[in-house]
Amino acid sequence: MKAFQDTIIALATPAGSGAIGIIRLSGPEAVMLVNRFFEGKFKSKDLPFLPSHTIHLGYIKEGSKILDEVLVSLFKNPHSYTGEDVVEISVHGSPYIQQQILQLFLKNGVRHAKAGEFTLRAFLNGKMDLSQAEAVADLIASNSETSHQLALQQMRGGFSSEIKKLRDELIRFASLMELELDFAEEDVEFADRQQFKDLVQRIKLILKHLVDSFATGNALKEGVPVAIVGEPNVGKSTLLNALLNEERAIVSHIAGTTRDVIEDELVLDGVRFRFIDTAGIREAQDEIEQIGIRKTYEKIKEAKVVVFLIDACALSLSARCHTPEHDIVLKQFEAELKNITQKYPDKKILIVVNKIDKMDQKDYEIDRDIYSLIEISAKHKTGLEHLKNELVSLVNKGLLDQNEVVVSNARHYQALNDALQSVLQVENGLESELSGDLLSIDIRAALHSLGEITGEITTDDLLDNIFRNFCIGK
Amino acid sequence: MKAFQDTIIALATPAGSGAIGIIRLSGPEAVMLVNRFFEGKFKSKDLPFLPSHTIHLGYIKEGSKILDEVLVSLFKNPHSYTGEDVVEISVHGSPYIQQQILQLFLKNGVRHAKAGEFTLRAFLNGKMDLSQAEAVADLIASNSETSHQLALQQMRGGFSSEIKKLRDELIRFASLMELELDFAEEDVEFADRQQFKDLVQRIKLILKHLVDSFATGNALKEGVPVAIVGEPNVGKSTLLNALLNEERAIVSHIAGTTRDVIEDELVLDGVRFRFIDTAGIREAQDEIEQIGIRKTYEKIKEAKVVVFLIDACALSLSARCHTPEHDIVLKQFEAELKNITQKYPDKKILIVVNKIDKMDQKDYEIDRDIYSLIEISAKHKTGLEHLKNELVSLVNKGLLDQNEVVVSNARHYQALNDALQSVLQVENGLESELSGDLLSIDIRAALHSLGEITGEITTDDLLDNIFRNFCIGK
């Protein structure tokens, strides 16, 4: 355990007026210093002699002047968030008072904590590994059920324990390999090459799987990208607005909900959807001429889900709404659909028939064996529930497996990818019966990459990069 | 003690992202309900069997789904803020998670707390009197040292214990008086009239003193009103900007300070100053013709401190800067000053000589025995420290006596005034040897008014009025 000499302080609750504010101190002097300015109402002993995980009512005083009536919570080393002595002072939620109390301690040898410094200490003191520490920030930033669950899973260590296991096995082989190098002249093999090949094979598959899971993890964290495509005037903009506005109305009905609704994002059953290039959709009305297949493809490339709109009249057999131009539209639609499914076989496609209000009955036809159709009228807001349910079930069926470990952090993805490349080198090396000293280089590189995820290997730059994105007080 | 049947919940920390958020529950079911959804990491017993003022690490779970890793703080009836069982759940500072946990409890029989409802319960359960409860809101809203100290003093009960003592003595006499009424036919006097007169005299003086203290208390709480007056172009606007901007620069230097700087307010050495009618000052440049003595007087009427600006050249004896027009300016200044001191003898006046930069030496004169002059150049920002020190010392000397009980709450002022009027009636009645039953009416009125301050007498309307100004969660 790394022992820090200095004691840090920060406001841990959001800035602003409220009922309660929490000021948090951590470090070797935390308990003693708070004790110096604390006058208990009922306590008979000094704070250093009181047990951990207890709460004490009293005053914070500067000389004879009372700064506030407070509750002091004690967490004694190592049974605290940071692993050090931690004191949380629950003060009245007045920014003025909070500043007064912060200043009192800052004047008396406590240092203002940097962003994420409490969590950094927790990591350096071995209370959590690096990927767990990163999950804390993700948890605070989580704004949908899926991003929340991903962060919790990561914080509880499911992901890093898998990485650690792989790394430990790899280390065992690496040390045998290093041993061989020490006895190089005697030409012995401590590390069984076949066993090693099997291990490398297994590690490769797991890493591949984790690397692949990032596409999903990232989508779940940042929002599943959805492209709404279709010919001009088919109702893309109307549909988007109908989806977003309806949800917005629901959100504002829940008492106490004040979450910011981000333009063009939609949370359905806890899954965040992000509509891509919607600015384009909104402007689509007056770009009838320009919009082309090329533009559509660009959108689809980014998307995980494609909502492909088609005018009901184009599919209609009734001459009442089906005009000769609809023949062209329909042909183009079929051609594009074919193209998309061939070019991007992994995209989930929802075919949505819009403007069904224009027909008295379902006088249209399409090959229902290939595509399931969702019938809506964006204008009259009918069929939207069906569409939403389909969106959610696509994600639940196809993208998210509840018990699977999913990588959602770009840094982890990078490190896993690096590890995978090194493991592939090791595999090649084993195939071509490379010498131990050359194999060792790639093994070490893989160990390094894996170690970076859990923080067994860190640099100051890396830690800086991670923790500067935290809020102060965490 | 009033027992509430329902358990209430609210977010007690400011809304928004931060390291920590606190969700607070209070009521008979608080501990049991949290226990139902809490899975401790280390605790061996259920929460209801664990001691008060202890903290427990664990998870809040909805079914098998973890909502968050939390700390649960237990406060057991009557040793809590509200006097009921209180549980504080320290959760990650994500608005999403906070909403999830709030919704979980709201779905399970807990009601969302109304503004100030925790404090209302504390009052109704006898944990604090009404004036102390009001001080809690003042404390949270406090934004200067003086408003902060006033609120703390009131919250600690200094003011209400004085009121209670007066009321108890008055009650003793009232009951003797009522007793006399019961024996009215026998014409006895249980209540010694001379003693009663002495008491009424004493109460009258104390009430008068408290009523008078409101002018000061209100000024300290809301900001000491300062009027900057003087002829057009004497530099009122430049001075105001120099004062405000300089302070603003200092504020932004203190690390972590994010307090909102309110236009036209200035906190010096913990005392808040409020510049009145500064919009007028700022526009003054182009209203040379209109500005007149009447307008100046209006401003002065509202002020506690008058900063009276005079052009250095007007006082100068040197022809280099003293023009013939300055003769008129000087005459007008002297006439106004005389007028003000006669009309408003209680105003503190600071005479500030501006534009001293225009003179090589102090070639001006004024009767220094009557006025102490403060020499500044608003434009070059010289002498401002001197002016600020004078402002603060005026307040400290004249307005604020550290150990005095000061009324700062408009409701208390109203009630004290009502009580004073009733006591004056009682005094008159005693003088004119009014009968006991008539005296009783006024005594009861005085008791009622005093009781309203501490909350011994309340109505739903009164409580509504007071607590709806609280934030939710307090």
Side-chain angles (χ1 to χ4, degrees):
Chain A
M1 182 171 142
K2 189 157 172 179
F4 292 92
Q5 296 304 313
D6 52 352
T7 298
I8 54 174
I9 193 169
L11 181 68
T13 44
S17 282
I20 296 178
I22 305 278
I23 291 171
R24 188 194 254 178
L25 294 95
S26 179
E29 312 276 297
V31 177
M32 209 200 66
L33 266 165
V34 173
N35 191 57
R36 205 162 109 202
F37 300 105
F38 178 70
E39 185 182 294
K41 247 185 170 174
F42 305 111
K43 80 179 170 79
S44 48
K45 286 186 260 183
D46 277 345
L47 296 179
F49 303 103
L50 291 164
S52 185
H53 289 66
T54 57
I55 306 168
H56 309 277
L57 177 64
Y59 301 104
I60 294 290
K61 292 176 87 168
E62 185 169 16
S64 62
K65 194 170 77 181
I66 293 177
L67 293 188
D68 199 11
E69 189 176 303
V70 302
L71 285 172
V72 163
S73 297
L74 294 177
F75 303 87
K76 298 221 173 153
N77 151 30
H79 304 295
S80 72
Y81 181 68
T82 61
E84 309 173 321
D85 279 353
V86 168
V87 182
E88 287 183 4
I89 309 176
S90 175
V91 306
H92 281 92
S94 138
Y96 175 80
I97 292 177
Q98 290 161 7
Q99 278 305 317
Q100 292 295 305
I101 295 177
L102 281 173
Q103 296 296 333
L104 171 67
F105 286 102
L106 291 173
K107 277 185 290 185
N108 284 279
V110 183
R111 181 168 62 72
H112 204 286
K114 285 177 277 194
E117 198 170 2
F118 291 93
T119 308
L120 173 63
R121 287 190 174 198
F123 161 64
L124 293 173
N125 287 329
K127 297 293 285 190
M128 53 178 78
D129 70 33
L130 198 53
S131 85
Q132 287 175 303
E134 287 171 293
V136 172
D138 284 351
L139 198 58
I140 288 174
S142 69
N143 50 18
S144 71
E145 185 172 337
T146 40
S147 62
H148 171 217
Q149 290 296 321
L150 281 174
L152 262 175
Q153 188 193 48
Q154 189 176 320
M155 199 179 75
R156 296 183 66 212
F159 169 59
S160 43
S161 68
E162 182 142 1
I163 298 293
K164 248 180 222 153
K165 227 163 50 202
L166 291 182
R167 193 166 181 268
D168 287 348
E169 290 190 66
L170 206 53
I171 283 176
R172 203 171 57 81
F173 267 92
S175 44
L176 289 176
M177 204 71 83
E178 306 269 339
L179 207 60
E180 281 178 17
L181 296 181
D182 290 346
F183 294 85
E185 291 170 11
E186 293 162 45
D187 195 20
V188 289
E189 266 192 20
F190 294 110
D192 182 304
R193 287 294 185 272
Q194 190 50 50
Q195 267 187 36
F196 193 30
K197 272 184 193 168
D198 292 348
L199 174 67
V200 164
Q201 190 61 23
R202 198 152 54 80
I203 291 179
K204 187 182 80 175
L205 286 178
I206 295 175
L207 287 179
K208 240 179 142 68
H209 184 76
L210 286 173
V211 164
D212 287 347
S213 79
F214 178 68
T216 303
N218 194 51
L220 292 175
K221 189 173 166 184
E222 305 292 340
V224 178
V226 179
I228 300 181
V229 299
E231 94 222 68
N233 281 325
V234 73
K236 296 189 291 294
S237 158
T238 312
L239 173 60
L240 183 66
N241 286 329
L243 286 172
L244 294 174
N245 288 332
E246 199 172 299
E247 185 57 20
R248 215 158 281 166
I250 291 167
V251 166
S252 64
H253 277 156
I254 303 169
T257 315
T258 53
R259 65 172 91 147
D260 290 332
V261 179
I262 297 161
E263 196 78 23
D264 304 342
E265 287 198 353
L266 187 61
V267 178
L268 297 173
D269 273 0
V271 182
R272 174 168 302 267
F273 291 91
R274 187 166 47 84
F275 294 96
I276 50 179
D277 192 18
T278 51
I281 293 181
R282 292 241 164 83
E283 288 156 18
Q285 310 304 354
D286 47 286
E287 50 172 353
I288 299 183
E289 301 305 322
Q290 301 120 275
I291 209 162
I293 291 177
R294 189 188 49 76
K295 199 154 185 185
T296 307
Y297 281 178
E298 272 172 23
K299 273 193 215 173
I300 290 170
K301 209 172 150 188
E302 293 176 52
K304 284 218 155 275
V305 177
V306 178
V307 171
F308 204 153
L309 280 182
I310 174 77
D311 191 319
C313 284
L315 299 182
S316 173
L317 300 177
S318 144
R320 215 164 30 75
C321 79
H322 189 97
T323 62
E325 281 107 64
H326 280 126
D327 284 339
I328 308 165
V329 166
L330 185 57
K331 275 220 178 78
Q332 201 176 334
F333 167 74
E334 283 172 338
E336 281 190 29
L337 195 55
K338 204 173 188 178
N339 258 326
I340 292 170
T341 42
Q342 278 171 356
K343 207 166 169 182
Y344 304 108
D346 57 330
K347 307 289 177 192
K348 311 279 176 189
I349 300 175
L350 289 178
I351 296 179
V352 176
V353 183
N354 192 20
K355 306 187 184 176
I356 52 161
D357 51 295
K358 285 205 181 156
M359 286 174 295
D360 295 329
Q361 59 203 59
K362 288 173 196 166
D363 47 0
Y364 61 89
E365 247 181 42
I366 201 167
D367 190 345
R368 285 185 182 260
D369 290 341
I370 302 180
Y371 306 110
S372 70
L373 296 180
I374 302 166
E375 295 157 15
I376 67 163
S377 162
K379 195 171 151 200
H380 294 85
K381 300 190 178 166
T382 53
L384 295 183
E385 278 313 304
H386 182 192
L387 174 56
K388 287 182 189 172
N389 290 340
E390 287 293 322
L391 277 171
V392 171
S393 91
L394 267 189
V395 171
N396 285 339
K397 268 189 299 184
L399 296 177
L400 179 66
D401 182 339
Q402 283 295 346
N403 298 309
E404 203 182 345
V405 171
V406 170
V407 178
S408 61
N409 181 308
R411 188 182 74 81
H412 298 171
Y413 169 69
Q414 189 56 53
L416 287 166
N417 229 337
D418 291 350
L420 180 59
Q421 296 316 315
S422 305
V423 166
L424 289 173
Q425 297 281 356
V426 174
E427 192 183 30
N428 281 338
L430 282 170
E431 285 306 324
S432 53
E433 295 187 0
L434 217 61
S435 70
D437 50 347
L438 289 174
L439 277 179
S440 280
I441 294 172
D442 291 326
I443 296 175
R444 262 188 240 128
L447 284 174
H448 185 94
S449 300
L450 291 176
E452 273 190 338
I453 295 174
T454 51
E456 271 139 330
I457 288 162
T458 61
T459 63
D460 286 349
D461 277 356
L462 176 68
L463 293 181
D464 250 25
N465 258 325
I466 290 173
F467 287 98
R468 77 166 170 218
N469 294 321
F470 274 61
C471 56
I472 287 171
K474 191 70 216 180
Chain B
M1 180 172 144
K2 189 158 172 177
F4 292 91
Q5 296 304 311
D6 53 353
T7 298
I8 54 176
I9 193 168
L11 181 68
T13 43
S17 282
I20 296 178
I22 304 280
I23 291 171
R24 188 194 253 176
L25 294 95
S26 179
E29 312 276 297
V31 177
M32 210 201 63
L33 265 165
V34 173
N35 192 58
R36 206 163 107 202
F37 300 104
F38 178 70
E39 185 183 295
K41 246 186 171 172
F42 305 112
K43 81 183 168 74
S44 48
K45 288 186 260 184
D46 277 346
L47 297 178
F49 303 103
L50 291 165
S52 185
H53 290 66
T54 56
I55 306 166
H56 309 278
L57 177 64
Y59 300 104
I60 295 289
K61 293 176 86 170
E62 185 171 17
S64 63
K65 194 171 76 182
I66 293 176
L67 293 187
D68 199 12
E69 188 174 304
V70 303
L71 285 171
V72 163
S73 296
L74 293 177
F75 303 90
K76 299 225 173 151
N77 149 31
H79 305 295
S80 73
Y81 181 70
T82 61
E84 309 173 320
D85 279 352
V86 168
V87 182
E88 288 183 2
I89 310 177
S90 176
V91 305
H92 281 94
S94 138
Y96 175 81
I97 291 176
Q98 290 161 8
Q99 279 305 318
Q100 293 294 305
I101 294 177
L102 280 172
Q103 297 297 335
L104 171 68
F105 286 102
L106 291 173
K107 278 186 288 184
N108 284 279
V110 182
R111 180 167 63 71
H112 204 285
K114 285 179 279 197
E117 198 169 3
F118 291 92
T119 308
L120 173 63
R121 289 191 172 194
F123 162 63
L124 293 173
N125 287 329
K127 297 294 285 190
M128 53 178 77
D129 71 32
L130 197 53
S131 84
Q132 288 175 303
E134 287 170 293
V136 172
D138 284 353
L139 197 59
I140 288 174
S142 69
N143 50 18
S144 71
E145 182 169 337
T146 41
S147 61
H148 171 216
Q149 289 297 321
L150 282 174
L152 262 175
Q153 188 191 51
Q154 189 176 321
M155 198 179 76
R156 296 184 67 211
F159 169 59
S160 44
S161 68
E162 182 142 4
I163 298 292
K164 249 179 220 154
K165 226 162 50 199
L166 291 182
R167 193 164 181 268
D168 286 347
E169 290 191 64
L170 206 52
I171 283 175
R172 202 169 60 80
F173 268 92
S175 45
L176 289 173
M177 204 72 85
E178 305 270 339
L179 207 60
E180 282 178 16
L181 296 182
D182 290 346
F183 294 85
E185 291 169 12
E186 294 164 42
D187 197 21
V188 288
E189 267 194 19
F190 293 111
D192 183 305
R193 286 296 185 272
Q194 191 49 51
Q195 268 187 30
F196 194 29
K197 273 185 195 167
D198 292 349
L199 174 66
V200 164
Q201 192 59 26
R202 200 154 52 81
I203 291 178
K204 188 183 78 176
L205 285 177
I206 295 174
L207 287 179
K208 241 179 138 70
H209 185 75
L210 286 174
V211 165
D212 287 347
S213 79
F214 178 68
T216 302
N218 194 50
L220 292 176
K221 188 173 165 184
E222 305 293 338
V224 177
V226 179
I228 300 181
V229 299
E231 98 225 61
N233 281 327
V234 73
K236 298 189 289 295
S237 158
T238 312
L239 173 59
L240 182 66
N241 286 330
L243 286 173
L244 294 175
N245 287 333
E246 199 170 300
E247 187 57 20
R248 216 158 282 165
I250 290 166
V251 166
S252 64
H253 277 154
I254 303 169
T257 315
T258 54
R259 64 172 88 145
D260 289 333
V261 178
I262 296 161
E263 196 77 23
D264 305 343
E265 288 197 353
L266 188 60
V267 178
L268 298 173
D269 271 2
V271 182
R272 175 168 301 268
F273 292 90
R274 185 166 48 82
F275 294 96
I276 52 180
D277 191 18
T278 50
I281 294 181
R282 292 242 164 82
E283 288 155 18
Q285 311 303 355
D286 48 287
E287 53 173 354
I288 299 182
E289 301 304 321
Q290 302 118 276
I291 208 159
I293 291 176
R294 188 189 49 75
K295 196 150 186 188
T296 307
Y297 281 180
E298 272 172 23
K299 273 192 214 173
I300 290 169
K301 211 172 150 188
E302 292 175 52
K304 284 218 154 274
V305 177
V306 179
V307 171
F308 204 153
L309 279 183
I310 174 78
D311 191 319
C313 282
L315 300 181
S316 174
L317 300 177
S318 145
R320 219 165 25 79
C321 77
H322 189 98
T323 62
E325 282 107 63
H326 280 125
D327 283 339
I328 310 166
V329 167
L330 185 57
K331 276 222 177 75
Q332 202 177 334
F333 168 74
E334 282 171 338
E336 281 189 30
L337 196 56
K338 206 174 189 176
N339 259 325
I340 292 170
T341 43
Q342 278 171 357
K343 208 166 167 183
Y344 304 107
D346 57 331
K347 306 290 178 196
K348 312 277 174 188
I349 300 174
L350 289 178
I351 296 178
V352 175
V353 183
N354 193 19
K355 306 188 185 177
I356 51 159
D357 52 293
K358 286 205 179 157
M359 286 173 297
D360 296 329
Q361 58 203 61
K362 289 172 197 163
D363 47 0
Y364 62 90
E365 247 180 44
I366 202 169
D367 190 344
R368 287 187 180 257
D369 290 342
I370 303 182
Y371 308 109
S372 70
L373 297 181
I374 301 165
E375 295 157 14
I376 67 162
S377 162
K379 194 170 148 201
H380 294 85
K381 300 190 178 167
T382 53
L384 295 184
E385 277 313 304
H386 183 193
L387 174 56
K388 286 180 189 175
N389 290 340
E390 287 293 322
L391 278 171
V392 172
S393 92
L394 267 188
V395 171
N396 286 339
K397 269 190 298 185
L399 297 177
L400 178 68
D401 182 338
Q402 283 295 347
N403 297 310
E404 206 182 343
V405 172
V406 169
V407 179
S408 61
N409 180 307
R411 188 183 75 81
H412 299 170
Y413 170 70
Q414 190 57 52
L416 287 166
N417 229 337
D418 292 350
L420 180 59
Q421 297 315 315
S422 305
V423 166
L424 290 173
Q425 295 282 354
V426 174
E427 191 182 31
N428 281 338
L430 282 170
E431 285 304 324
S432 53
E433 294 185 1
L434 216 62
S435 70
D437 50 350
L438 289 175
L439 277 179
S440 281
I441 293 171
D442 291 326
I443 297 174
R444 263 189 239 125
L447 284 175
H448 184 94
S449 299
L450 292 177
E452 274 189 339
I453 294 174
T454 51
E456 271 138 331
I457 288 162
T458 60
T459 63
D460 286 349
D461 276 356
L462 176 68
L463 293 182
D464 252 24
N465 258 324
I466 291 173
F467 287 98
R468 73 165 172 221
N469 295 320
F470 274 62
C471 57
I472 286 172
K474 192 70 217 179

